[in-house]
Amino acid sequence: MSAELNTLAEKTTELSHHLYPLISDLGLILMTAGVAILIFKKIKQPLVLGYLIAGFLAGPHFTLFPTVKEVGNVEVWAEIGVIILLFSLGLEFSFKKLMKVGGTASVTAGVQIVSMIVIGYLVGWFLGWSQIDSIFLGAMLSMSSTTIILRAFDELGVKTQKFAGVVFGTLIIEDIVAILLMVLLATISVSQNFSGVALMESSLKLIFFLILWFLAGIFLIPTLLKKVKPLLNDETLLIVSLALCLMMVMLATSAGFSPALGAFIMGSIIAETTKAEQIEHIIKPVKDLFGAVFFVSVGMLINIDTLKEYAIPVVIITLVTIVGKALSTAGGALLSGQPLKQSVQAGMSLAQIGEFSFIIATLGMTLGVISDFLYPIIVAVSAITTFTTPFMIKKSVPTYLALQKIIPQNFQDRIEQYSSNTEGIKTTSNWKLYIQANVLHIVLHSVIIIGIAIMASKFLKPMADTVWEKLFFCLLSIVIAGPILWALGLQKVGKKPLDEIKKDRKYKTPVIIMLVFRMLLAAFFIGFIINLFFAPLITFILLIALLVVMFLFPKKLQQLYLKIASRFIENLNSRERSEAVRNKSSLTPWDGHMTTFEIAQESALAGRTLLELKLRETLGINIAIIKRGELTINVPTRHERLFPKDVVYVIGTDEQIAMFEHYLNANNLSSIEDNDIILQKIELNNEYFIGKTIRETEMRDKIRSIVAGIERDGKRIINPESDFVLKQGDILWLIGDQKQIEALIK
């Protein structure tokens, strides 16, 4: 018995030795991070900087404080942090947002990313760095920081201005390009092959799996969440969403991609569901925890000696980042048709690097292909540009005004004309629309069929030993792919442009060629699946037989396909329908645009009609839409009332919308919740209040106070009526916000 107890004690001691460094290191990281972010919260600086400094203080390069004992444990936590961080970014992303950002954000992001990759590579070459270091530098400089920009926009109150839409759209494009870059950089790093063929293969492989996972995910995940909806509370939804995230991480890893890609893809799939906002809310504490660990691990790599040695490269890269990103983004926005003012504002807002730059640097360090000095240099550049971002945003309008004085008027007129003409280009030929529809149809259905073939080859083929088993699994694969094969070969595509094309007598030959090509492609895929199980001769015989069957029973296949397609479309549009998203919010080249605001639960506007508020007369804005739960009120009448939680779609200029935002905040009764509520006695000497009724003084609205009692000629009146007329010498007992009452007394 004693021997067993001794053995158990030894195992417990051994386990405690393994756990102690892990727990102590995590405790040290969180303790240091907690102190740092409290300080940075107090001085109103981005928390990311606090995490970086906390990492430096807890890291091996700073010895005045206790340091982590097992860096490997921290790296594991950091990898989990990257997965959770990318999953959260995916929840905010969604592929439908990518399709909606339009040409403006796409062109702006494209010009900026390509320019900064080239500039970063040239800077690395100029500094004498290796080719792989230069490539990674260019990739890191091409990414802006969503976290820093959102924080700066909130603090400066410019989130609702027109240029902010361009910035957010550009950030969406940058997110997906960052994922593509990570895959391409991993390919380059592993193979050390810079040939176009290898990059093309990696790109095509990535695009194939992105399409396949997205189509399968949209079809399956929303359906799953609907089926188990009665069982989902915050706890179960958190577990299910994280399980889905890690499942996609495993799929991505098995396909040869990074775990971060899988997490991002699953986040973007869930972003299309009606549960996206709830998941985003409940996942936030987990993201904050592991995100903090990740950024702290980044800060641990900061080495002061290295920064001193590479001080000149830090200065050069910082200047290149600020100037290069401002100019390239502004140039891209101008090229996309944005006015000069919005282009300058967007360019100066995106002049920094952040989270994805760290993730790309982490990839390089994990693969062991970049030099040790590159990571701390990027961290230093990010820290500097984080501090300069609010300054750059503030100076964007003065910079625009200065450019107006410098740029010749005729050139400014050309920019405005180009912006107007670009916005006006809406027409596309019917042939182009028809070809685009067919190409998209072919690509999507081909990816699904190839995916089914891969699954059949990997899971069904190994189980088929006899001829009859092969025949069974072969037919099973064809049956599963049947509706998709029918749609690929025979489904009508691009009906509207085709109807217009039919008015031309010469339409038949190209349309027939397209149809024949699709039918041959479908036949090829059928033969390809059969050939997985049988020799070429048997494949040919079975192919002919199956084609005959498909032509004899097309309606059954059509019904199955339409059922599948309708389910997919329903899942894809479920969140959009629930939110009634309106995309056409721009009035380019005018300064007007549409943005949304939510009426707060405690807003003083709640319950009042648009006629009573007189928003158009006083602020110059129009409310175009009111979204109330599942109800959407388009072009509301002046007798329509606003209610708590209403989402209003407001049209106006930047200045008018800023005034409306201030108006909303001023009428938000919850704004005094954090202040001291007091009962204060004051003697009425203010001429403004003398001779007016309590209602006319608007005390409740202007100073958030109510008159609880009045003393007049030695008599006390409790809760006087609102039509009570005030006189000089009255003593008022006010209940309300201490600061505002004290301001009234003064």
Side-chain angles (χ1 to χ4, degrees), residues 288-353:
D288 291 341
L289 172 62
F290 287 103
V293 175
F294 168 70
F295 288 116
V296 168
S297 71
V298 172
M300 289 172 59
L301 295 173
I302 299 176
N303 189 335
I304 297 297
D305 294 332
T306 303
L307 292 180
K308 289 179 181 178
E309 182 180 353
Y310 290 92
I312 294 177
V314 168
V315 174
I316 293 174
I317 295 172
T318 300
L319 293 175
V320 166
T321 300
I322 294 173
V323 177
K325 298 198 76 168
L327 292 178
S328 60
T329 305
L334 283 173
L335 188 63
S336 70
Q338 286 296 303
L340 181 61
K341 180 181 179 181
Q342 278 78 40
S343 299
V344 173
Q345 288 177 301
M348 297 184 72
S349 299
L350 289 164
Q352 78 291 119
I353 59 175

Side-chain angles (χ1 to χ4, degrees), residues 438 441-442 446 449 484-492 511-527 543 547-548 550-551:
N438 275 274
H441 183 83
I442 290 170
S446 296
I449 295 167
I484 312 300
L485 288 164
W486 173 87
L488 176 61
L490 299 174
Q491 174 76 5
K492 290 182 179 180
V511 172
I512 292 173
I513 291 174
M514 179 64 74
L515 180 60
V516 171
F517 172 76
R518 286 170 48 196
M519 293 173 64
L520 291 174
L521 186 61
F524 166 79
F525 281 128
I526 295 174
L543 173 62
L547 288 176
V548 171
M550 290 184 69
F551 276 104

Side-chain angles (χ1 to χ4, degrees), residues 550-746:
M550 290 184 69
F551 276 104
L552 289 176
F553 304 99
K555 289 186 178 180
K556 188 65 176 177
L557 291 171
Q558 182 181 17
Q559 291 173 357
L560 287 172
Y561 175 77
L562 292 177
K563 188 179 291 186
I564 294 170
S566 62
R567 173 61 62 86
F568 178 84
I569 296 298
E570 181 184 351
N571 289 346
L572 184 64
N573 295 329
S574 59
R575 185 181 181 187
E576 187 177 40
R577 286 199 307 271
S578 68
E579 295 180 352
V581 175
R582 297 298 187 270
N583 188 42
K584 296 181 179 179
S585 59
S586 178
L587 296 176
T588 304
W590 302 342
D591 197 24
H593 63 293
M594 184 165 70
T595 190
T596 59
F597 295 92
E598 182 175 321
I599 304 301
Q601 188 75 37
E602 305 83 1
S603 175
L605 306 186
R608 301 172 68 181
T609 65
L610 299 182
L611 177 62
E612 293 171 339
L613 296 174
K614 297 181 179 180
L615 299 175
R616 185 173 184 176
E617 293 80 1
T618 56
L619 302 177
I621 58 98
N622 271 317
I623 293 182
I625 302 166
I626 299 176
K627 178 71 173 60
R628 184 174 299 148
E630 299 295 329
L631 176 64
T632 300
I633 304 170
N634 294 315
V635 193
T637 66
R638 59 181 180 172
H639 300 294
E640 188 65 51
R641 294 184 184 275
L642 296 179
F643 292 97
K645 298 298 182 180
D646 278 357
V647 177
V648 293
Y649 291 72
V650 178
I651 297 177
T653 64
D654 284 344
E655 291 76 15
Q656 290 168 342
I657 287 177
M659 291 171 60
F660 179 70
E661 185 175 22
H662 177 73
Y663 177 77
L664 277 183
N665 293 333
N667 284 277
N668 185 2
L669 299 180
S670 64
S671 61
I672 65 172
E673 288 182 354
D674 293 334
N675 298 332
D676 294 330
I677 305 301
I678 63 168
L679 175 64
Q680 178 72 42
K681 180 177 74 172
I682 66 170
E683 184 174 351
L684 191 61
N685 293 316
N686 193 324
E687 294 181 0
Y688 173 79
F689 295 103
I690 295 173
K692 291 186 176 182
T693 64
I694 295 175
R695 180 187 295 111
E696 290 172 340
T697 62
E698 298 180 321
M699 287 188 187
R700 183 185 293 269
D701 294 329
K702 291 186 175 180
I703 63 171
R704 303 283 184 245
S705 301
I706 59 175
V707 180
I710 297 177
E711 294 185 21
R712 176 184 292 176
D713 300 330
K715 296 180 179 180
R716 292 183 177 181
I717 304 170
I718 304 298
N719 294 327
E721 298 291 337
S722 58
D723 57 357
F724 188 92
V725 180
L726 301 177
K727 294 182 179 180
Q728 186 169 4
D730 284 349
I731 297 175
L732 307 184
W733 289 86
L734 300 180
I735 298 177
D737 177 43
Q738 181 178 6
K739 293 181 181 178
Q740 300 208 41
I741 293 177
E742 290 174 352
L744 175 67
I745 297 174
K746 296 178 181 178

Side-chain angles (χ1 to χ4, degrees), residues 184 187-188 193-204:
L184 296 179
T187 302
I188 292 172
N193 189 345
F194 301 93
S195 68
V197 176
L199 294 180
M200 182 62 70
E201 289 178 356
S202 298
S203 301
L204 291 175

Side-chain angles (χ1 to χ4, degrees), residues 78-267:
E79 289 179 12
I80 298 174
V82 170
I83 290 172
I84 302 298
L85 192 63
L86 266 293
F87 179 61
S88 301
L89 287 173
L91 287 172
E92 300 170 5
F93 170 74
S94 96
F95 281 98
K96 291 197 74 175
K97 285 184 181 179
L98 179 62
M99 292 186 284
K100 290 179 180 180
V101 293
T104 297
S106 301
V107 173
T108 304
V111 171
Q112 187 270 129
I113 291 169
V114 172
S115 299
M116 291 310 299
I117 289 176
V118 173
I119 292 172
Y121 179 83
L122 292 176
V123 169
W125 172 80
F126 172 77
L127 294 172
W129 294 354
S130 67
Q131 190 176 32
I132 195 72
D133 282 342
S134 301
I135 292 174
F136 268 84
L137 176 63
M140 287 183 273
L141 296 188
S142 66
M143 297 294 111
S144 301
S145 173
T146 303
T147 303
I148 294 168
I149 290 173
L150 286 175
R151 174 63 183 268
F153 277 11
D154 283 336
E155 291 177 350
L156 298 175
V158 298
K159 201 172 181 179
T160 57
Q161 293 189 18
K162 187 178 180 181
F163 80 94
V166 179
V167 172
F168 293 145
T170 303
L171 290 171
I172 290 172
I173 300 294
E174 285 187 357
D175 285 348
I176 192 65
V177 172
I179 296 295
L180 296 172
L181 281 176
M182 289 175 65
V183 174
L184 296 179
L185 289 171
T187 302
I188 292 172
S189 302
V190 172
S191 64
Q192 293 295 315
N193 189 345
F194 301 93
S195 68
V197 176
L199 294 180
M200 182 62 70
E201 289 178 356
S202 298
S203 301
L204 291 175
K205 180 183 176 183
L206 175 62
I207 292 171
F208 170 78
F209 278 104
L210 284 177
I211 295 173
L212 182 63
W213 288 334
F214 177 72
L215 294 176
I218 291 298
F219 185 78
L220 297 174
I221 302 302
T223 303
L224 170 66
L225 294 178
K226 287 178 185 177
K227 294 292 184 183
V228 299
K229 184 178 180 180
L231 306 175
L232 292 178
N233 54 23
D234 284 354
E235 180 182 359
T236 55
L237 191 59
L238 174 64
I239 300 302
V240 169
S241 58
L242 287 177
L244 291 172
C245 170
L246 296 178
M247 178 196 71
M248 186 56 76
V249 165
M250 291 187 290
L251 282 176
T253 305
S254 63
F257 299 113
S258 67
L261 173 65
F264 184 84
I265 294 299
M266 182 50 69

